């Protein structure tokens, strides 16, 4: 009999505890979150104002109504972030925003609404607005990219990563307004690649092979430009005496 009574008391206690926690949690999630309740972790580049200006967050608003997934997508795109996570917190109360920035490896320029915007490019070909870039190692950057557009990202990434494991070093990478790609290599000078991004890997291999061959023959100073729009039929134009 005592065991039954003890069991009932324990169940009653657990029920009361559960109801209390549920009520407390519900009241907290309905509590309105404000500017002072936001914490940013992972980067000192961004302020609360940057977060609000580049998302649809509107304060004060009940914590439970914050669209974390949608906010993550907005911030990742608008602030050129590598990754971002937004968490609702009850203990301590508020929003916790974890930020992972992109690392610039080249200077960059893009045209947006007929206005030139300067910034940087990371190894994945993403454009980083100058205002939101970690500028610690910028003195080490040697490449410049002109005419960046979203649909050039994959091509850019292949070019930037290829030079890390080859003998080539690209000083400038230029996309014309109609998408024609031209490279300037440190020794080979101007290299014409054209419009076809599907053959970029073959073109890069040809560039590397040409550089090796030309270095062996010591004729680098005689080259005007190299046309690899057709990687199966590269053309080298030399200065005429």
């Amino acid at each position: 009999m005592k065991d039954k009574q003890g069991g009932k008391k324990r169940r009653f206690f657990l029920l009361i505890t559960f109801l209390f926690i549920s009520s407390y949690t519900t009241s907290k999630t309905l509590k309105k979150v404000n500017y002072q309740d936001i914490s940013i972790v992972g980067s000192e580049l961004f302020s609360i104002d940057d977060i609000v200006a580049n998302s649809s967050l509107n304060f004060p608003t009940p914590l439970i109504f914050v669209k974390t997934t949608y906010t993550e997508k907005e911030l990742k795109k608008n602030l050129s972030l590598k990754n971002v996570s937004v968490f609702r917190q009850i203990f301590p109360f508020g929003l916790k925003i974890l930020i992972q920035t992109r690392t610039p490896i080249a200077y960059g320029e893009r045209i947006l609404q007929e206005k030139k915007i300067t910034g940087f490019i990371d190894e994945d070909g993403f454009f980083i607005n100058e205002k939101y870039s970690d500028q610690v190692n910028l003195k080490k950057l040697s490449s410049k990219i002109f005419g960046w557009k979203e649909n050039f990202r994959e091509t850019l990434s292949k070019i930037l990563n290829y030079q890390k494991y080859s003998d080539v070093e690209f000083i400038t990478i230029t996309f014309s307004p109609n998408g024609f790609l031209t490279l300037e290599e440190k020794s080979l000078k101007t290299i014409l690649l054209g419009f076809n991004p599907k053959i970029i890997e073959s073109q890069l291999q040809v560039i590397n092979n040409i550089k090796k061959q030309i270095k062996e023959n010591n004729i680098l100073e005689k080259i005007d430009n190299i046309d690899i729009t057709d990687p199966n039929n590269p053309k080298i134009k030399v200065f005429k005496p």
Side-chain angles (χ1 to χ4, degrees), residues 145-208:
I145 297 165
F146 302 100
W148 183 94
K149 289 182 180 179
E150 182 71 28
N151 56 320
F152 298 151
R153 277 200 307 102
E154 186 176 349
T155 300
L156 267 176
S157 179
K158 290 178 180 179
I159 295 171
L160 293 170
N161 282 282
Y162 185 83
Q163 67 179 352
K164 292 193 298 185
Y165 308 105
S166 67
D167 194 36
V168 296
E169 184 179 347
F170 300 118
I171 306 302
T172 63
I173 302 170
T174 304
F175 294 92
S176 69
N178 62 358
F180 191 96
L181 175 58
T182 304
L183 306 180
E184 182 184 352
E185 205 276 334
K186 188 174 182 179
S187 301
L188 299 178
K189 309 304 180 187
T190 303
I191 304 171
L192 309 175
L193 297 188
F195 297 100
N196 190 354
K198 295 181 180 180
I199 60 174
I200 186 62
E201 291 169 326
S202 299
Q203 290 173 315
L204 292 171
Q205 185 62 56
V206 170
I207 293 171
N208 196 43

